[in-house]
Amino acid sequence: MEGKLKVTKERYRSRVSIIVDVLKAVESEDNEDQRLTHIMSKANLPYNRFSSILSDLVSKGLIAEKGSGEKKSYALTPKGKKYVQEYEKFKKLSEAFGLNI
Amino acid sequence: MAPNAFLPIATFVNLVSAVFTLIIWYTAYKAFRFLGSVKMLFLSISFLLFSLGLFSQTFYATAALVESIALPRLFVGEGYLLYSILMLAGYMVLAFAYSIGEVGAAALSVFAYRKNPFNSVTRLFLNFRVFFEYGVQVFSAALLLYVLVKVYEEYFSRKASYAAPIAVGLTLLFIQLLVRIFDLDSAFDYLFASIIQLAGFALIFYAVWKVNSK
């Protein structure tokens, strides 16, 4: 109905989907490296949680860190891109079976 | 064609179904390892059980062919019982994957006992083993019906890509269970049910393969 707030069933994000949200936030449409605050707002995470996930992804080689200090920027590595693709593939599989993950 | 001539074809059809379900199990297991989703774990376990059931039935049917065991004995033998129980376990795990986080009451209502309207089946009740196998098949059908309801609900609300072949595939599995429940007393019926089952698993396999190959 028009003017009525549509209530949807919001679910908690799993750790994998949070990781993918961070990776997608890093993956820029214009292929430019992303700044920390920009990624954080896109990933919709509090700073503490975000920084621990980010450092984890950098150490695992999914995100590449460039520069230092305030000029520090981030870019998705080929390994990170592959991870996002795999996630999309398996998510599509679970949706095809009608299973919400 | 002699009635028993259908049996080797049905055995081959079951073998192909077993291979399809094994590949589906592996893909679903990979998805579970990646996503860490318990639902995907149950999905993979159910297809592993289907695969084991189909391989066991292939093995026992081949042994029956070699030993020239009469058809009625094949349907009430240990092999068919093992197949039925493994398939039931598969449907139970599959239903569980869809019931996680849902109210169990709705699912339980599906399991209600319904009288068999076909008089031809009642004579089978004289044999306890046949009765047990019949019960296993009915229970499997009830579980699959629950899964079907959930799958179609999701399909009509989301229209996810490749959900249609999976929904149709599961519907075919349900139909083959009905064939087994109401009309499994000849080699042709056995072949007919096996072909419908293969078509069902083939459709699910097609969807899984298409998603996985992207």
Side-chain angles (χ1 to χ4, degrees), chain B:
Chain B
M1 198 183 270
N4 275 0
F6 291 116
L7 200 57
I9 308 168
T11 307
F12 177 73
V13 166
N14 280 338
L15 183 66
V16 178
S17 293
V19 173
F20 280 166
T21 49
L22 199 66
I23 297 168
I24 297 166
W25 158 72
Y26 182 65
T27 312
Y29 181 71
K30 276 202 306 185
F32 155 68
R33 288 293 301 269
F34 189 92
L35 299 167
S37 163
V38 183
K39 289 180 181 184
M40 291 311 285
L41 173 66
F42 287 125
L43 185 76
S44 70
I45 292 171
S46 69
F47 277 94
L48 179 63
L49 288 164
F50 292 151
S51 185
L52 289 173
L54 286 160
F55 274 121
S56 76
Q57 177 61 6
T58 307
F59 173 78
Y60 275 102
T62 309
L65 275 169
V66 172
E67 293 172 23
S68 301
I69 291 172
L71 269 171
R73 276 197 59 206
L74 177 69
F75 299 141
V76 294
E78 290 82 5
Y80 199 71
L81 185 66
L82 178 67
Y83 161 80
S84 301
I85 288 172
L86 282 168
M87 296 306 273
L88 169 66
Y91 289 122
M92 282 175 87
V93 177
L94 187 65
F96 196 65
Y98 284 88
S99 71
I100 298 169
E102 302 289 336
V103 182
L108 287 170
S109 66
V110 184
F111 305 150
Y113 174 76
R114 277 189 278 172
K115 276 191 175 175
N116 170 29
F118 293 82
N119 287 334
S120 62
V121 178
T122 50
R123 63 188 162 78
L124 298 174
F125 281 62
L126 296 169
N127 187 321
F128 178 75
R129 189 187 269 174
V130 175
F131 173 75
F132 183 72
E133 278 179 10
Y134 176 78
V136 167
Q137 299 284 5
V138 170
F139 193 48
S140 299
L143 287 166
L144 191 54
L145 188 64
Y146 166 72
V147 171
L148 272 177
V149 169
K150 302 298 289 181
V151 167
Y152 276 103
E153 262 177 18
E154 279 295 317
Y155 172 68
F156 286 117
S157 64
R158 287 169 181 262
K159 300 259 183 206
S161 43
Y162 301 110
I166 288 176
V168 176
L170 289 169
T171 308
L172 288 172
L173 293 183
F174 181 71
I175 292 168
Q176 68 87 25
L177 271 174
L178 294 183
V179 172
R180 284 172 198 273
I181 291 166
F182 295 122
D183 201 24
L184 190 65
D185 52 9
S186 74
F188 179 75
D189 297 335
Y190 180 65
L191 174 63
F192 183 55
S194 300
I195 288 172
I196 299 172
Q197 182 170 249
L198 172 64
F201 282 129
L203 271 172
I204 299 168
F205 170 75
Y206 164 77
V208 170
W209 175 70
K210 285 295 278 184
V211 172
N212 201 38
S213 61
K214 284 196 171 177

Side-chain angles (χ1 to χ4, degrees), chain A residues 27-81:
Chain A
E27 191 177 32
S28 163
E29 282 173 18
D30 49 12
N31 285 326
E32 274 182 18
D33 296 349
Q34 299 287 306
R35 292 288 164 88
L36 195 70
T37 47
H38 188 65
I39 304 165
M40 199 169 74
S41 66
K42 266 187 169 179
N44 193 24
L45 283 169
Y47 179 76
N48 286 348
R49 186 109 191 261
F50 171 73
S51 60
S52 77
I53 289 173
L54 188 68
S55 61
D56 195 28
L57 295 178
V58 170
S59 68
K60 282 176 179 162
L62 298 172
I63 293 173
E65 203 174 37
K66 292 172 185 174
S68 60
E70 285 190 5
K71 285 184 178 176
K72 202 182 261 184
S73 63
Y74 298 89
L76 207 61
T77 63
K79 196 179 170 185
K81 280 180 186 167

